[in-house]
Amino acid sequence: MDTGTPATGGFGALLNGLRTAAGLSQEELAHAAGVSVRALSYMERGRSRGPQRRTVRALAGALGLDAEGARELEHTASLGRPRRARTEDVAPPAARTGAPDLLPRAPRGFHGRAAELAALSRAATGEAPVCLVVGPAGVGKTALVLHWAHHGRAGFPDGRLYADLRGFGGTGEPALIEVLREFLSALGVPHDGMPRSANGAAALFRSLAAERRLLVVLDNARDSEQVRPLLPGGRHCVTVVTSRHRLPGLIVTDSATPVAVDVLGPDDGTMLLAGVLGAQRVGAEPAAARRLAGLCGGLPLALRVAAARLAQRPDRSLDAMAAELSDETRRLALLDVEDTGVRAALRVTLQQLPGEVSGLFARLGSHPGTHVDRYAAAALADTGPAAAEACLERLAAAHLVTETASGRWTMHDLVRLYARSLDAGPDALTRALDHSIATALAAVAAAEPGNEDCFPLPADFREPAAVREFADRAAAVAWYAAERDDLTRAAAAAHAAGLHDRTWRIVLTLWPLMVWRVRDGWVPLLETGLEAARADADEYGEARVLNVLGWVLTEEGRLPEALTHLRAASALASRAGDAVAEANALVVLALAQAALGGLGEAAAGCERAVGLAREAGDRTIERLAMQHLARHLADAGQWREALDTADDALAFGDASGTADVPRILLLIVRGEALLGLGYEAAGIGQLELAAREAESSGNEDAAVRALGALLKVSPTPDLQARYDAAATRLTTRP
C-alpha cells in the first residue's frame, strides 16, 4: 500500500514513475530492493533526495532497469546529494526526526517456534544484551528474528536497524563503512556529516546509540570479527546476530547468549506447508503433508521449496510430490528452485571452511552408518583421531554435523544426501568398512576374551591408524548395542558395492551380540552374509556363517532349516580340515538335534566336538563343547555324568565374578545335577550363584533359566519377582 504524495520533480518523481510503470507497490519494491517501506516513501516524497549509490543500484535492479535506465536513475539521485564537506572523523550528530526502521518486512507464513521465540525474548533482557541466533542453513533463523522484531516493535521506541552481512552469500560481504553509514543515516546524520573512516563511523554510532533504546539486527554473520565493530554498546540497546556458525568468540568477549534454532517438528512443518498452499489443500491430504514434512527433514527452506513447486502445480497432489521426494537420488534436485535451495545453501556454507574440513565432510558422505566417532572420521580422512575430531568440531560449529552424544556425531538427512553427492575418492567406502571390521574385532576380543579370531583379514585390508579401545566386556557390549544398526548398514553397503569379502566379515563380527540377543531377528542379516561368502567363494567364511545362522534358526524353533545349514557347515569345515569350525558346527548341530528329542545323538556330537577341539589345542572350544555336552546329559537325566562334565569344564579356569556366559550356564547345569542327585542345599546354592552372576551381567536368558530352576524347588515370592523382572527385561530389551 503506497504512502504519501510523490514529489513533483527530481529523483522522487522519477522513482515513483518507474515503480508505477513496473506495476509494483511500495511494499513490493522495498522488499525486492532490501530497503524499508518508510525509506522508499521518503525518497518518492522528496524527503530523501539523494540516496546512496548502493541503494540506487538495488532499486534499479529491483525495477529491472537496463544499463541506460540505471545510469539515469543514478544521475538524478546524484543531483540531490549535498557536496561532501571536509569533517573530522567523528562529526557531531544531527537532529533526527522519527524512529528509523530498516527492518525488512515480516516473514509470511511463519508458524510455530514458540520455544525459540521465548528463548530470544529471555536472551534480550538485561544490559546491552547480545543475542546469538544460530542454526544450520535454511532452518529459518532470519524469519524467526524478523517475526520476533516486528512483534516487539514497542520495546524499541528509538528505532530498529538491520544489516545483512552476507557472510554466506555469493554476492560478497558489504564493507564495514557502508553498513555503519547506513545506520548513521537512519539515525539522522547528514551525508556531509559522515565520518570518512570505519573507526570514526563506529565511534559515532556507539555515541548516538548510547542513550537510545535501539534494536540492531546483524543477519548472516560470518564470524565474530565481522560483528564486533557494529555492536552499539548502549545500555538499552539489544543486538541480535544470526549465523550458521556458533561464533564462540562473541560469547567470550561480549557475553552473547546463544539461541539455537533447529528443524521444525511434524506439526509445525505441516502448518508451514498450509501457510503457502492453503489449509484446504493440505487438510485434504494430512498423511501426505506429514510425510512431505518428514522427507524435507523439517527444514523450512526445503519445505518452502517443495511448497513452491506444488503452488505452481495446483493439480498436483501432495502424495505425488512425496513419492518423488522419496527417491534419494532426486530429492536434493527437487528441493532447488533456480539458485535457491538446500544444495545452494549447503554449498555456500561448505565454501567457508578450510580444505581439510570440507574434505572430511565429503568423505563422511561415504560412511554407510548414521553416526561417526573420531576414529571413524580419522579412518575416512587418513589422519589421526585428534585431527579428525578437530575437523568434526568445525563441522559442528557450522551446523553440518551434530554431536548427539559425547564423541558421537550425525548429519541431518538432507545434509547427508548432499555429502554423498560430493567426490570422496575411490576408496572412501572401503576405508569406512575396514574401520568397522577393525573396531568390531577389538570389541569381540573384549566381549569374549580367549576366543579365536573370527576370520583372517582380506589381503587388501586397510588397517586404520587408530582403533577404539574397550576396557572390558561391558564397554564392548555397550558399543555393540549402540552400533548394531550402523554395522547392519555397513554390511548392506558392502554387499551393494560388491565388496563381498567385507560383507560376511562384518556380519560375523556381530556374533557376541547375537549370543546375548539371539532372538532379535538376525536371520536376514546372516542370510546376506551367507550370500556374500558364497559370492566371495570363501568356504571358510561360508562355514562360519552357516554355523551361526543354524544356531539362530535353532533358537527361533526353525529346526528343519537349522539342520540343513548346520550339516552343510560341518561338511564344509571337515572338507577344509578346519577342526575348530567343525567342532563349532557339531556343537550347534547338537542343539537342533536335542530340540528334536535326539539327546543321545546330541551328546555324541558334542563328544566328537570335544575331541576335535582337544586335537586342535583350542581350549575355548573344548570348554564350550563340554558345556553343551553337560547340558544334554542333564536333560537326559544322566545326573552323575552331567555333574562330572560340568566340573571338568569349570576346572578350566576360575572366572568367578565375571560375565563369562559358559561359566554361568555350567553353574546352572551343576545346580540341576546336584538337585537330581538329591543334594538340595548344594544345588540351590549353585543355581543362586548362577542367577546372581547372570543378573549382574545382564544375561537375561541365563537369569530366566537359573531362576526358573530355583522356582521348581523353592517357589518364594522373592524368586518369583526376580524371575518376572528378568523375563520382562528379556522381552522388552532394545
Side-chain angles (χ1 to χ4, degrees):
M1 182 173 181
D2 294 355
T3 334
T5 304
T8 56
F11 178 79
L14 176 60
L15 179 61
N16 178 264
L18 290 170
R19 178 178 61 78
T20 304
L24 299 173
S25 67
Q26 281 187 348
E27 183 182 2
E28 289 169 335
L29 178 57
H31 174 64
V35 301
S36 69
V37 176
R38 183 191 296 271
L40 183 60
S41 174
Y42 282 178
M43 292 180 214
E44 291 194 357
R45 285 187 284 159
R47 294 183 60 182
S48 177
R49 294 176 296 169
Q52 296 180 33
R53 288 183 178 84
R54 182 164 59 88
T55 302
V56 176
R57 285 196 299 270
L59 289 167
L63 288 165
L65 301 181
D66 58 16
E68 183 177 351
R71 281 195 297 271
E72 180 185 358
L73 188 65
E74 165 55 28
H75 174 70
T76 306
S78 69
L79 297 177
R81 293 182 189 133
R83 267 179 86 102
R84 178 184 293 274
R86 292 181 61 84
T87 64
E88 296 301 322
D89 270 353
V90 180
R96 165 177 74 85
T97 58
D101 189 352
L102 301 184
L103 286 181
R105 66 173 175 82
R108 295 173 181 170
F110 185 89
H111 292 286
R113 300 295 195 194
E116 291 90 343
L117 290 168
L120 183 52
S121 294
R122 288 194 299 271
T125 60
E127 184 173 310
V130 177
C131 313
L132 181 54
V133 179
V134 294
V139 82
K141 300 179 292 295
T142 301
L144 171 77
V145 171
L146 291 179
H147 179 83
W148 176 83
H150 278 281
H151 281 73
R153 69 169 64 237
F156 308 103
D158 295 318
R160 298 176 298 174
L161 307 178
Y162 172 90
D164 184 355
L165 302 184
R166 302 197 297 271
F168 303 93
T171 58
E173 299 171 9
L176 173 61
I177 187 67
E178 290 181 10
V179 177
L180 287 165
R181 283 175 176 168
E182 187 164 352
F183 284 0
L184 292 174
S185 178
L187 293 173
V189 177
H191 190 274
D192 58 358
M194 290 288 177
R196 288 176 297 186
S197 73
N199 286 340
L204 178 56
F205 174 52
R206 290 192 296 271
S207 174
L208 291 176
E211 298 302 325
R212 304 190 193 205
R213 299 182 68 85
L214 289 173
L215 171 64
V216 180
V217 177
L218 304 174
D219 203 10
N220 291 311
R222 168 181 36 84
D223 54 28
S224 303
E225 183 181 0
Q226 192 185 24
V227 169
R228 289 192 185 100
L230 296 169
L231 297 178
R235 294 184 303 112
H236 306 298
C237 294
V238 174
T239 305
V240 180
V241 181
T242 76
S243 182
R244 299 179 191 180
H245 292 168
R246 291 176 180 167
L247 307 191
L250 207 62
I251 299 173
V252 173
T253 61
D254 295 276
S255 301
T257 302
V259 176
V261 184
D262 206 345
V263 296
L264 295 172
D267 292 338
D268 286 338
T270 303
M271 289 298 293
L272 189 152
L273 290 172
V276 179
L277 300 173
Q280 184 175 0
R281 187 173 179 185
V282 171
E285 298 183 82
R290 287 181 72 87
R291 184 178 172 214
L292 199 57
L295 289 167
C296 291
L299 196 67
L301 174 61
L303 285 162
R304 290 188 182 279
V305 172
R309 288 189 176 275
L310 286 165
Q312 294 172 339
R313 297 277 303 277
D315 58 330
R316 187 170 182 75
S317 70
L318 274 67
D319 188 62
M321 183 70 183
E324 280 192 310
L325 287 176
S326 295
D327 182 354
E328 289 189 351
T329 63
R330 299 183 59 208
R331 190 178 304 168
L332 285 178
L334 291 168
L335 294 177
D336 281 344
V337 174
E338 296 179 346
D339 60 346
T340 299
V342 177
R343 284 189 300 192
L346 292 172
R347 182 169 56 252
V348 172
T349 301
L350 203 60
Q351 287 170 350
Q352 304 285 333
L353 298 172
E356 66 273 14
V357 179
S358 58
L360 174 60
F361 177 81
R363 292 182 181 92
L364 289 176
S366 299
H367 192 275
T370 59
H371 292 79
V372 297
D373 60 13
R374 64 203 296 258
Y375 298 99
L380 284 166
D382 195 19
T383 187
E389 186 170 18
C391 289
L392 287 167
E393 290 288 358
R394 288 293 299 271
L395 290 171
H399 292 92
L400 291 172
V401 301
T402 302
E403 191 173 11
T404 57
S406 179
R408 191 169 160 84
W409 286 268
T410 190
M411 287 180 172
H412 185 280
D413 287 346
L414 296 179
V415 177
R416 183 177 293 107
L417 287 178
Y418 179 68
R420 287 177 182 169
S421 72
L422 303 176
D423 182 14
D427 63 345
L429 176 59
T430 305
R431 286 180 181 277
L433 297 173
D434 287 354
H435 167 265
S436 294
I437 292 171
T439 310
L441 288 176
V444 170
E448 300 295 338
N451 277 277
E452 63 161 343
D453 293 338
C454 292
F455 41 71
L457 294 172
D460 61 343
F461 183 78
R462 292 178 176 272
E463 187 73 42
V467 176
R468 172 190 289 272
E469 296 180 356
F470 299 95
D472 51 27
R473 184 192 303 266
V477 171
W479 179 84
Y480 268 122
E483 298 295 329
R484 172 182 174 175
D485 289 344
D486 275 4
L487 288 170
T488 302
R489 291 186 181 94
H495 199 45
L499 297 171
H500 303 302
D501 56 347
R502 268 72 177 178
T503 305
W504 66 262
R505 285 176 167 86
I506 292 172
V507 172
L508 278 184
T509 61
L510 279 156
W511 75 263
L513 191 60
M514 295 179 193
V515 169
W516 284 59
R517 301 182 177 182
V518 66
R519 298 180 186 89
D520 276 7
W522 296 103
V523 170
L525 178 64
L526 286 162
E527 288 175 340
T528 297
L530 179 60
E531 183 181 339
R534 287 171 173 167
D536 193 31
D538 192 309
E539 290 191 346
Y540 175 95
E542 184 181 354
R544 296 303 173 105
V545 177
L546 280 168
N547 190 32
V548 180
L549 177 57
W551 170 63
V552 171
L553 288 169
T554 300
E555 292 292 329
E556 291 186 357
R558 298 162 61 176
L559 298 175
E561 296 172 77
L563 286 171
T564 299
H565 290 312
L566 291 167
R567 284 170 178 151
S570 177
L572 277 172
S574 178
R575 186 164 66 244
D578 188 342
V580 173
E582 186 181 359
N584 255 319
L586 288 171
V587 168
V588 183
L589 178 61
L591 287 174
Q593 292 166 335
L596 289 170
L599 291 173
E601 189 179 13
C606 286
E607 287 177 343
R608 169 68 178 150
V610 170
L612 286 168
R614 193 169 289 158
E615 289 173 15
D618 192 314
R619 298 274 287 173
T620 301
I621 298 301
E622 182 183 354
R623 180 182 182 229
L624 178 69
M626 292 176 70
Q627 170 214 316
H628 284 275
L629 174 59
R631 175 78 268 161
H632 299 317
L633 291 170
D635 289 342
Q638 296 176 247
W639 302 119
R640 173 53 59 187
E641 293 85 349
L643 180 61
D644 291 344
T645 303
D647 284 343
D648 289 344
L650 285 167
F652 272 48
D654 181 14
S656 59
T658 73
D660 182 33
V661 176
R663 167 186 159 78
I664 295 171
L665 296 177
L666 284 166
L667 289 174
I668 294 173
V669 171
R670 193 171 193 281
E672 292 174 349
L674 287 168
L675 289 174
L677 291 169
Y679 303 110
E680 184 172 308
I684 290 175
Q686 288 292 285
L687 289 172
E688 178 62 33
L689 176 60
R692 292 293 183 193
E693 289 192 13
E695 288 170 319
S696 65
S697 65
N699 190 335
E700 312 302 350
D701 295 279
V704 166
R705 179 174 294 185
L707 291 167
L710 279 170
L711 281 171
K712 292 177 182 178
V713 292
S714 180
T716 66
D718 175 63
L719 281 176
Q720 187 65 54
R722 288 168 61 193
Y723 176 88
D724 292 342
T728 299
R729 290 192 298 270
L730 181 63
T731 56
T732 60
R733 63 189 176 189

